Amino acid sequence: MPILSVRHITTYRYRQPVGFGEHRIMFRPRDSYDQRLIAAALKITPEPVSLRWMHDVFGNCVAVAAFQGRASTLVFDCAITLDHTPELAPDFPLAPHAAFYPFGYGADDIADLSRSMERQHPDPRNEVDAWARGFVPSRGRIATQELLAEMTRSVRRNFAYLARQEKGVQDPVTTLRLKRGSCRDFAVLMIEAVRALGMAARFVSGYLYNPRGDRERHVGGGSTHAWVQVYLPGAGWIEFDPTNGIVGNRDLIRVAVARDPRQAVPLHGSFFGFPADDLGMTVSVAVDEIEPSVSDARAPDPMLAR
């Protein structure tokens, strides 16, 4: 059970001092049985006049900062320590009726899962649908876990990772045709494919841990990361990272879950000035393992501990 530290710094720069509207911040990891938040501190420069906390419709922790005055830079610096319990060899105990695909959800589950089963992107030529069904044998059944694991690892083997700074997500049909994209592009492609097979899936935003001395193990580090959760009866929401072929939560730190990636943007806000004043944004994320004695000595920031 490694103790991990996360340092997430986002910096906005402007040609001249500008004013700032409200900013919504989703940096705080979700507390759960497989990750326990030990300490957190958030520093914003210039200091906001107010910082309030809320839970959104998915239970994600959101901070809302309000500002007065003007500045030529705006910096969000978040330091987090958490206890992470990885699934090194995931073997999910599925309900008997869901052990093999196809399967169906019960009436009670469908009432809450239906929106997470709806396709969100057009697929006029059924290209994503055909790609998804390519993992299903033409005869007989396939183990549900094997199906999803192969889809996840197929993206890792056959698609090229490309860090994109542009806002938004690439259309999944485009991702499929180009065979390249960012982590959020691959996540949306897999979500649409899983939904095409009649399963519930949702988008996850968070951080990726790449152990020291093994920097080639994963791609997508150095910034926020994105992957997929699929709801499996008997096991619940299970993680799949198509960018790195990860099945289970190994090296994945969950911050926000949402039906649509637009609902899980790590940082969103506005400024008051001319469009040409915007000099861009830089994001730096460092995730490292630390000694438990060091992390246990840190006291939670009372503002984030609420």
Side-chain angles (χ1 to χ4, degrees):
M1 294 187 290
I3 305 299
L4 301 179
S5 70
V6 181
R7 186 73 180 275
H8 180 178
I9 304 174
T10 299
T11 303
Y12 296 94
R13 292 183 173 85
Y14 303 91
R15 195 178 307 277
Q16 60 182 336
V18 299
F20 304 108
E22 277 194 346
H23 280 64
R24 293 171 58 92
I25 308 151
M26 299 176 74
F27 290 177
R28 179 184 174 124
R30 294 170 64 103
D31 276 304
S32 185
Y33 65 91
D34 57 355
Q35 59 179 39
R36 179 176 64 89
L37 189 63
I38 297 172
L42 175 63
K43 181 180 180 181
I44 304 174
T45 307
E47 186 175 349
V49 294
S50 68
L51 184 67
R52 61 185 176 89
W53 294 89
M54 57 177 283
H55 287 99
D56 68 7
V57 68
F58 302 103
N60 303 312
C61 192
V62 182
V64 183
F67 299 88
Q68 287 182 352
R70 305 171 77 84
S72 57
T73 61
L74 178 61
V75 181
F76 298 83
D77 185 346
C78 186
I80 297 162
T81 307
L82 74 158
D83 188 344
H84 187 264
T85 306
E87 292 280 354
L88 298 179
D91 184 17
F92 312 121
L94 303 183
H97 78 277
F100 290 87
Y101 180 84
F103 66 89
Y105 295 117
D108 289 341
D109 288 339
I110 282 287
D112 295 304
L113 295 174
S114 58
R115 293 304 310 274
S116 295
M117 300 171 67
E118 295 175 0
R119 302 281 294 275
Q120 300 293 315
H121 296 269
D123 185 16
R125 298 182 181 179
N126 297 319
E127 294 171 75
V128 174
D129 185 88
W131 181 74
R133 298 200 174 278
F135 297 97
V136 180
S138 57
R139 295 183 180 180
R141 299 189 300 169
I142 183 172
T144 302
Q145 184 171 330
E146 179 184 344
L147 164 64
L148 294 169
E150 180 55 29
M151 181 183 291
T152 304
R153 292 163 182 158
S154 175
V155 174
R156 179 70 178 95
R157 288 193 307 265
N158 301 315
F159 290 66
Y161 171 76
L162 177 66
R164 291 194 305 106
Q165 299 302 320
E166 300 90 344
K167 294 181 180 180
V169 176
Q170 187 169 267
D171 183 272
V173 172
T174 301
T175 302
L176 187 59
R177 291 175 181 174
L178 295 178
K179 293 291 190 295
R180 65 174 182 265
S182 68
C183 58
R184 62 186 186 274
D185 300 329
F186 295 154
V188 170
L189 170 61
M190 183 166 175
I191 288 170
E192 287 292 288
V194 167
R195 289 172 176 173
L197 296 178
M199 289 180 270
R202 61 188 186 183
F203 184 89
V204 189
S205 175
Y207 304 115
L208 176 70
Y209 171 51
N210 227 1
R212 288 186 182 274
D214 192 10
R215 294 299 184 186
E216 299 301 318
R217 178 154 132 185
H218 301 314
V219 296
S223 186
T224 54
H225 193 54
W227 61 96
V228 181
Q229 284 185 341
V230 181
Y231 189 81
L232 301 175
W237 291 104
I238 300 299
E239 252 93 1
F240 297 90
D241 177 10
T243 301
N244 293 294
I246 299 173
V247 177
N249 74 328
R250 182 185 179 187
D251 299 335
L252 301 174
I253 301 171
R254 192 182 317 111
V255 171
V257 298
R259 175 176 47 84
D260 186 281
R262 292 171 295 184
Q263 300 167 308
V265 177
L267 181 58
H268 176 72
S270 60
F271 75 94
F272 305 112
F274 297 105
D277 290 338
D278 186 2
L279 297 180
M281 173 188 71
T282 59
V283 179
S284 172
V285 174
V287 183
D288 294 293
E289 185 172 353
I290 59 177
E291 293 297 326
S293 58
V294 176
S295 66
D296 291 343
R298 294 183 58 183
D301 184 307
M303 199 160 50
L304 268 117
R306 292 187 292 190

